[in-house]
Amino acid sequence: MELFFLILLIVLMAAALGSGFPVAFALPGAAIISIGLAAGAGYFFAGNVDAYFAHGGPGQWLSAGVTNFRGVYWEAERDTLIAIPLFIFMGIMLQRSKIAEDLLITMARLFGPVPGGLGISVILVGALLAATTGIVGATVVAMGLISLPAMMRNNYSVPLATGTIAASGTLGQIIPPSIVLIILADQLAGGVDQAGNIRQALYKETTGQGQMPSDFAIASTSAGELFLGAILPGLLLVGLYVLFMLGFALINPKAAPAVRQEGKMDGRFLFQVFITLVPPLSLIVLVLGSIMAGVATVNQAGAVGAIGAMIMAGYRLREGQGKGTYSPAILAILALLGLGVVLGFYDVNIKRINTPEDVTGVILASIAVSLLLVATLWSGWRTLKMENTLREVMMETAKSSCLVFIILIGAAMLTSAFRAFGGEELVKHFLQGLPGGFWAQFFMVMLVVFILGFFLDFIEIAVVVVPIVAPILLADPSANITAVWLGVMLGLNLQTSFLTPPFGFALFYLRGVAPATVKTIQIYKGVVAFISIQILALVIVGFYPQIVNYLPNRTSLLAETAPPPKNPRLQYCMEGYVSDRFARDGASILSAIDATSKLDVSYLPADLQKELKAGLTAAAKAVPLMQDIDATQAAVTAAAADYRPLHVQVRALERDARRLNEELKDLEVVVQRAGPTGIYSEARGEAAKARIEELKAEQAALLSGIPADWQAKHDAFAKVQDAENKARNLYRRTVDQAGDPVTKVRAVLAGAAPLAAMEARMNDFKDAILSMDNAKVQEQLEVLRADVTAIEGTSEIRKGLNEARKILRTATPDSQAAVAEIDKSIAALKADLAWRQKGATELLPQLDAYDKATGDTIGLRQLTRLPEHVAADLVSCLSNHRDISLNF
């Protein structure tokens, strides 16, 4: 019966959408009706409203939220979605201020003389508008009104012209900032959590170990990472469009002729180009650059974009109306430049104002921010008063945002109902049953998304399909794809939904503004080539995931919040980098270790001598241990060639057997609850018993297909694999043992200078004990103790200070006894200074040279963050998808 109501849910949704019923009501309506009918049928025919639900049911949702149906209310409250109205406001404001028209006219004059120049200008303007407005309808309409007549007037092929305009208008769906990417990031966040649980459960079932290694975990994603991941694929798509236009113009010059524009390309024209192109490009740099630099989140960047769009609209709407047109924009630019200068010279933090310079920095930053606020309010007042632009833009933003959020809530209800009727399990079993593994599953999902694009908008596809299929695809350890790559691939695919007939929205927008002489069939013909180019871009990005993963990884590793070198996710690639360094510079590294081992350290305390010697001994072992890793890794690769086919075969049989276990558990519940006092009839209980026997026989048949030599071959491969894991763990422990002592000795010797300054402070403090109030003396002592503690290796020196502190805290403090304890600290300090100063002069430069030779190899894990050149090297490794399936 669950299957019947699942089919009813899909039929109701399809019928509602096909009849033209609003999507915002079709999705939740189908869910509510099917759930109501299933609950009613269960109540009347089985005496239980939950009887016909595969997972939970209304009775359980009210108390436990089994399918998270109660969480639907909070669907629109996630932080990620705050950026949507901000970017919508930014796009509509720029469109209403006629920035798009200026770009089209200027670019047409700039590229007109080139073969296919008008088409190229449309593509480039589409890319620029995508990175600023991101609104497909506005972009297509603007370019259709301005460029289509010009292209037809200059004898461009009608299908080529219409296809170029429609395709260029959809670039806003993949080039950030994009509403599609924000929604996908929001949906993928939940998918990553589910996929992580699936992979953890799979690891436990196949290996018997309760805890999966951290480097096998699935990394989550955010809208900012998706923005970064989509930049290069978006530029790739633009490049393919331009190449197609150039090639078409060269092969068939009559269909895309060069156009000689009126007027000279003089200084006035160049100034117009500057005024037209620089502000949108600056806004793109501010929005995307702030995200890439880690300065702003996506929400904060959206606010920057909204304010920037309003400032641009402030001068564009007033253009040609006298002096002062650019005054608010100039004021904003000066304020930003001033703020940049202040931040470059001062540490502006209100919570850390300690010096007069800090006060000056805060005051100057406040002045700059105030000027920026004045410029923003000034521009806002202009947009409000001129053509009532601000009010209309805010109304359109509110309408568009409400539409998106209502669809999100409705889709969440539909997805919950789909899961409740067991639809997610059916999809999972279908995909996992496909021959060909992950790539067959992925191809099927992409094909379904592509076909759905013929009939549905991107929002419906993103919020209905992605939550169901994303966990299945992300959990697969054979491909081990990143959520960023999956999101960008889906985004590229969803972009085609705007172009594919019969319901491509870009086609409708263009049809609405195209002259009557342009036939609809010509528009359809025109987009075919561009749909093919999008599919080609999908294939390229699919085969080269580095195109997507490179920028997010590079930004992550070079940001202020970069993960430390000991992060488990970095170890595999980091050890590959160190192995290459050892192969190239191993001799010089070992020479540096040997030279440091021969240094005279006899004047150091015995414990430091011992630690330093142990650290250098461990460092000498690092190179041969890395060679062990390389050897065991090669052994695993060689063994995997024969083992992999058997592993895939057996794990598939075990997966199918486990799937039957789930059905067996459900049937056993039916048997337990059947009978005169149960919620199920005796007949249904007997039928369940019979089905249990069938499933057990089917399960036994599946498991009997496992080859007899499976366990022996599995154990043999596991032994080889375990050798690699042990080699890696031993190397990591050894380099940690090598790095810690050297780091400690360097820190101790570096403390010689600050420790020398402490002697005078301690002598002054003795006088203070005898002359000052006890309360003030204790305050000074706490400061002195903290400063001494900050210097490495001062435990002996602190003993006297600690004893003096105890004496001064007694009811009857003995000043002379406290002074005596301070004298002990001073004596310990002088004894320390003798060897510290000698070490700082003789040994510390040698240790610095040792650190320079080994710091980015043996000492890499001891650093607080990766050096820039190491991070840049690791990016390419991390950007590939590593198959980890043989560990499961």
Side-chain angles (χ1 to χ4, degrees), residues 670-688:
V670 173
V671 172
Q672 293 171 2
R673 298 183 179 182
T677 58
I679 62 174
Y680 300 110
S681 64
E682 291 185 12
R684 185 167 181 181
E686 292 300 322

Side-chain angles (χ1 to χ4, degrees), residues 4 61 276 323 528 690 710 757 793 825:
F4 169 79
W61 295 340
T276 304
K323 296 181 179 179
V528 170
W710 154 249
S825 286

Side-chain angles (χ1 to χ4, degrees), residues 311 327-333 335 370-380:
I311 291 173
S327 297
I330 293 172
L331 184 62
I333 292 170
S370 299
L371 291 175
L372 182 60
L373 181 61
V374 169
T376 304
L377 294 174
W378 192 352
S379 298

